[in-house]
């Protein structure tokens, strides 16, 4: 339980760490943030496959493959429905900010924050569910992948909020709240599989599906939108291979 608590705080705190970096380095280039985010996407991809989906197949016995495929699609569809029915923005460009008044800027920034919060809950659940498999190494790999993704996410949220006229204190507070949501999600995932081990294979695949959805729908398109496609692609491969090496050496 202590390890779960530390992991939850680490995953949620990674967003805050990213915000601090965003305050210190206000002129972070798109190319740099895209490459960092792509590296995190590679780590998350490996974490989803090795830490969640493959254990789901193994723990599900003769129905493991069915549980895994079903869980992946249900997880992706659930996140897709959250995207569809919750008002939010996927991206926040400087052009969009300039086309609206002060209140319009704040409204768009808040929708952007909601978008981050929407994805932080299932990501936190994924981190918590990983511990239900009993393999702490895999669970920590999943948590590390999510935490790495949260750092650049925290970095990019600072600029638009400050530009919209939101104070630094409120910016930090709002970012901390998105991190707190991830902490809550971690405990939800952990206690859900602790109550019933029967749902564990499906829950692992479900969590893996949500991560795959975020990688494909959010992270890869974002990192290929500012002219750094080649560097972003190799950064993703580096992140994936790094976690592959860790999984083999520590597994």
């Amino acid at each position: 339980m202590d390890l779960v608590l530390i992991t939850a705080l680490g995953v949620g705190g990674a967003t805050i760490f990213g915000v601090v970096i965003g305050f210190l380095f206000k002129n972070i280039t798109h190319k740099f943030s895209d490459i960092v985010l792509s590296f995190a996407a590679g780590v998350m991809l490996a974490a989803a496959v090795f830490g969640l989906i493959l254990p789901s197949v193994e723990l599900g016995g003769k129905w493991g493959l069915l549980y895994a495929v079903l869980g992946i699609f249900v997880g992706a569809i659930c996140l897709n429905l959250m995207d569809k029915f919750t008002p939010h923005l996927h991206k926040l460009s400087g052009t969009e900010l300039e086309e609206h008044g002060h209140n319009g800027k704040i409204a768009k920034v808040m929708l952007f924050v909601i978008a981050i919060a929407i994805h932080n809950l299932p990501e936190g659940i994924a981190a918590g569910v990983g511990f239900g498999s009993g393999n702490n190494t895999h669970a920590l790999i999943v948590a590390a992948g999510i935490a790495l993704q949260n750092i650049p996410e925290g970095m990019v949220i600072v600029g638009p909020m400050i530009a919209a006229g939101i104070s630094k204190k409120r910016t930090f507070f709002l970012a901390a709240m998105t991190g707190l949501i991830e902490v809550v999600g971690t405990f939800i995932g952990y206690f859900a599989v602790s109550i019933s081990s029967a749902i564990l294979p499906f829950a692992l695949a479900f969590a893996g599906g949500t991560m795959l959805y975020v990688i494909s729908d959010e992270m890869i398109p974002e990192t290929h939108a500012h002219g750094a496609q080649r560097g972003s692609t190799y950064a993703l491969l580096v992140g994936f291979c790094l976690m592959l090496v860790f999984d083999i050496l520590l597994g």
Side-chain angles (χ1 to χ4, degrees), residues 10-34:
V11 168
T15 299
I16 299 175
F17 180 66
V19 171
V20 172
I21 295 176
F23 278 127
L24 295 176
F25 303 97
K26 298 179 181 179
N27 298 318
I28 297 174
T29 65
H30 267 309
K31 182 177 181 179
F32 177 79
S33 61
D34 286 348

Side-chain angles (χ1 to χ4, degrees), residues 5-214:
L5 175 60
I6 294 171
T7 300
L9 294 176
V11 168
T15 299
I16 299 175
F17 180 66
V19 171
V20 172
I21 295 176
F23 278 127
L24 295 176
F25 303 97
K26 298 179 181 179
N27 298 318
I28 297 174
T29 65
H30 267 309
K31 182 177 181 179
F32 177 79
S33 61
D34 286 348
I35 288 176
V36 173
L37 190 59
S38 288
F39 175 81
V43 172
M44 282 184 66
L45 180 59
V49 174
F50 303 130
L52 295 170
I53 295 172
L54 291 182
S56 169
V57 175
E58 294 171 1
L59 292 171
K62 65 178 181 178
W63 299 106
L65 188 58
L66 177 62
Y67 288 143
V69 173
L70 183 62
I72 288 170
F73 276 96
V74 172
I77 291 170
C78 284
L79 212 54
N80 184 209
L81 292 175
M82 289 174 68
D83 274 347
K84 183 176 181 180
F85 293 109
T86 306
H88 65 279
L89 289 177
H90 285 283
K91 299 178 183 177
L92 197 62
S93 68
T95 303
E96 287 177 319
L97 287 175
E98 291 170 2
E99 292 175 349
H100 299 269
H102 182 73
N103 291 335
K105 290 181 183 180
I106 294 179
K108 280 188 169 290
V109 168
M110 294 311 298
L111 289 174
F112 185 55
V113 173
I114 291 173
I116 293 176
I118 286 172
H119 295 141
N120 277 3
L121 181 61
E123 286 173 6
I125 291 174
V129 165
F131 284 98
S133 67
N135 189 324
N136 288 342
T137 299
H138 281 161
L140 291 174
I141 287 175
V142 172
I146 295 171
L148 280 174
Q149 183 261 341
N150 286 343
I151 294 174
E153 191 174 78
M155 289 164 54
V156 301
I157 198 176
V158 173
M161 294 178 76
I162 297 297
I166 300 175
S167 67
K168 290 183 178 181
K169 288 184 178 179
R170 191 178 180 193
T171 295
F172 185 83
F173 173 77
L174 290 172
M177 288 299 99
T178 64
L180 180 61
I181 289 173
E182 205 143 22
V183 173
V184 172
T186 301
F187 283 108
I188 291 175
Y190 174 72
F191 285 117
V193 296
S194 297
I195 292 172
S196 175
S197 59
I199 67 170
L200 181 57
F202 177 83
L204 287 169
F206 177 93
T210 63
M211 290 177 69
L212 293 179
Y213 181 90
V214 170

